[in-house]
Amino acid sequence: MHKHDELRKSKLIALGFFVGAAVLFVVSLLLPQTWWTGLLRAFSEAAMVGALADWFAVVALFRRIPIPIISRHTAIIPGNKDKIADNLALFVREKFLDTESIVGLIRRHDPVQMLADWLAKPANTELMGAHLVRAATFMLDFIEDAPVQNVIRRAVHTMVGSVDLSKSSSAILAGLTRGRRHQQLLDEGIRQIARLMDNPETQGAIADGIVDWLKEDYAFLEKMLPSELIGRKGADIAVRLASGVLNKVAADPAHPLRERFDDYVAGFIERLKVDPEFIAKADDVKRYLLEDDTFNGYVGSLWAELKAWLKRDLERDDSSLRRRIIGMGAWIGKALGEDALLRQSLQENLEAAARGVAPEFAGYLTRHIADTVKQWDDREMSAQIELNIGKDLQYIRINGTIVGGMIGVILYLLSHLPALLR
């Protein structure tokens, strides 16, 4: 309404100038005819002509004026809407969206340095974290659970279905055992067994096992023999024998047991590759993973659990996700601020990206501008343009009235110049 009021007011002012010129013309006709009334009439006549001519010029831009022959050259803006759309789009593309203009804009404003300076302030990283947390919370509420769960389930099924578990396991084990690294596992196993054998509870269990064996298989002898003593001694002998064997294996890198372990591991890896039994077992595992309701239910619940955890964390004042975002922002700002080479590299990459994207972006945007303008209603487009620039156009009418009157005065003086010179 503000623009409408201003346009209406400016039109009334321009009309007022025209009415004023017309009043002066009438007055000049009613007054006694002298040189001065002639001058007044010349001024008012020319002022009315200028006002009417400029009124016609301004109105002809927006509306059709039903005057024979002349009317075809009125309503210029509505009648040339498509040309205006194409020229406007071309103007925007050549003057604002050409590649060099965009690259120059990047160079002038140095967005990498601006980002570094902005992130260097703790208040800004806090603000960024708060905004990102709110955006994440909104997205979590906005996203429907079922589609996400289906996507996760399909992704897991695709991944499981495309993997050859037998060959993959073989390749993993081959990598883990390269350079006889599996011997380290054997050494660790020996250490764990030795520690277990040194445990009094383990020795007690062995002694109890020997006693139980005597009671079950040799009950008659067990009654006559000191079974508890035999159990303890037997446990001591078993521990010493086992420890002796383990110590020999641990001390000798070329011990036959190690070689047999190497052979077993190599054979097992090879069997994983070609043994039909292993391959069938791997296929059974895949079918289980794809068809088991428990597993698929767990996969489907992953998103719900992750979403619930994220929402709980984001709602907390000391959100760990927010702290990480703030910390990451501060780290990026510090890295950019301290590393001039990094800033230069990012700036060059940004300019290169602009050079690559600018033509396509400019083409898309200018096509959008042209197509949008062409789809506007002729009268609506004309009304909008008049609403935004019509106020200034009314000054053309006012100036036309004044300038026309002055020209009338000059012509009047020129016509009376010979009489004035006599």
Side-chain angles (χ1 to χ4, degrees):
M1 289 302 296
H2 182 65
K3 289 184 178 181
H4 283 286
D5 293 340
E6 289 184 345
L7 179 59
R8 187 181 301 108
K9 182 179 178 181
S10 62
K11 285 183 176 182
L12 289 175
I13 293 173
L15 179 62
F17 271 80
F18 171 75
V19 171
V23 170
L24 287 178
F25 177 72
V26 173
V27 170
S28 68
L29 294 177
L30 297 176
L31 290 174
Q33 298 302 305
T34 64
W35 188 88
W36 291 103
T37 55
L39 180 65
L40 182 61
R41 186 171 64 252
F43 172 81
S44 59
E45 285 177 347
M48 287 190 296
V49 171
L52 289 172
D54 286 338
W55 168 84
F56 177 87
V58 171
V59 174
L61 288 173
F62 305 103
R63 297 176 184 82
R64 179 179 179 275
I65 301 177
I67 300 176
I69 302 176
I70 297 177
S71 62
R72 70 179 65 179
H73 299 295
T74 60
I76 294 173
I77 291 177
N80 294 273
K81 184 183 66 175
D82 291 350
K83 291 182 180 179
I84 293 173
D86 292 333
N87 290 329
L88 176 62
L90 183 62
F91 175 77
V92 171
R93 179 170 185 167
E94 292 181 349
K95 302 301 181 182
F96 297 98
L97 298 179
D98 64 292
T99 302
E100 293 308 317
S101 295
I102 295 177
V103 173
L105 183 67
I106 293 173
R107 288 176 180 171
R108 285 195 304 274
H109 293 282
D110 195 359
V112 177
Q113 184 64 56
M114 290 175 63
L115 177 63
D117 295 340
W118 191 84
L119 289 175
K121 299 177 181 178
N124 290 335
T125 55
E126 289 279 352
L127 182 64
M128 180 186 69
H131 283 304
L132 290 178
V133 164
R134 282 197 293 270
T137 303
F138 171 78
M139 290 301 297
L140 288 175
D141 292 330
F142 178 76
I143 294 174
E144 296 184 12
D145 293 342
V148 178
Q149 291 173 343
N150 290 334
V151 169
I152 294 175
R153 190 179 294 108
R154 286 197 301 270
V156 172
H157 283 197
T158 301
M159 180 183 66
V160 172
S162 62
V163 172
D164 187 331
L165 291 181
S166 184
K167 291 184 178 180
S168 298
S169 300
S170 172
I172 293 172
L173 286 177
L176 291 175
T177 58
R178 191 173 292 114
R180 301 190 74 196
R181 281 180 288 188
H182 57 286
Q183 289 292 339
Q184 299 174 7
L185 180 63
L186 179 60
D187 290 337
E188 181 61 26
I190 290 173
R191 284 192 291 270
Q192 293 297 331
I193 294 174
R195 189 176 297 112
L196 184 63
M197 296 297 290
D198 289 338
N199 191 324
E201 294 182 1
T202 303
Q203 296 175 8
I206 294 174
D208 292 340
I210 294 174
V211 173
D212 292 338
W213 169 69
L214 287 173
K215 288 181 179 180
E216 291 178 2
D217 294 345
Y218 303 96
F220 177 74
L221 293 175
E222 188 271 336
K223 292 180 180 180
M224 295 185 298
L225 297 173
S227 57
E228 295 295 336
L229 177 63
I230 293 174
R232 286 195 302 273
K233 291 298 183 181
D236 290 339
I237 294 171
V239 169
R240 284 198 299 271
L241 289 174
S243 298
V245 173
L246 292 175
N247 289 334
K248 289 180 181 179
V249 174
D252 186 3
H255 194 278
L257 182 61
R258 291 185 180 275
E259 295 179 358
R260 285 198 294 273
F261 184 59
D262 286 341
D263 294 339
Y264 173 79
V265 171
F268 182 74
I269 292 174
E270 190 63 27
R271 287 181 64 192
L272 282 173
K273 295 179 181 178
V274 298
D275 193 323
E277 183 178 352
F278 278 100
I279 295 174
K281 287 291 185 183
D283 290 339
D284 289 340
V285 172
K286 285 173 59 175
R287 279 194 296 273
Y288 166 78
L289 294 176
L290 294 173
E291 299 173 3
D292 183 70
D293 292 337
T294 302
F295 176 75
N296 283 277
Y298 169 73
V299 170
S301 66
L302 285 177
W303 167 248
E305 294 178 3
L306 176 61
K307 180 178 178 180
W309 177 84
L310 287 172
K311 292 191 71 173
R312 286 195 302 271
D313 181 76
L314 294 174
E315 290 171 356
R316 292 167 51 189
D317 294 334
D318 59 339
S319 167
S320 59
L321 183 59
R322 179 177 177 177
R323 287 200 308 272
R324 284 179 171 82
I325 292 173
I326 294 172
M328 185 184 300
W331 177 83
I332 292 173
K334 183 179 179 182
L336 290 175
E338 296 176 350
D339 194 335
L341 291 177
L342 176 61
R343 293 198 304 274
Q344 181 181 354
S345 175
L346 289 175
Q347 182 78 6
E348 291 173 354
N349 281 279
L350 191 59
E351 292 179 10
R355 292 183 185 277
V357 173
E360 184 176 353
F361 173 74
Y364 166 78
L365 189 59
T366 51
R367 285 194 303 271
H368 173 68
I369 292 173
D371 293 341
T372 301
V373 173
K374 289 177 181 179
Q375 291 174 5
W376 288 350
D377 179 76
D378 294 353
R379 288 175 295 181
E380 179 64 22
M381 172 185 172
S382 179
Q384 287 298 319
I385 295 176
E386 183 180 14
L387 184 63
N388 286 276
I389 67 172
K391 174 185 175 182
D392 297 323
L393 292 178
Q394 300 309 312
Y395 287 103
I396 295 176
R397 295 172 57 189
I398 296 172
N399 293 336
T401 306
I402 297 172
V403 173
M406 294 175 64
I407 293 174
V409 170
I410 293 172
L411 293 176
Y412 182 81
L413 292 174
L414 289 175
S415 67
H416 288 78
L417 184 62
L420 293 174
L421 293 176
R422 286 198 298 268

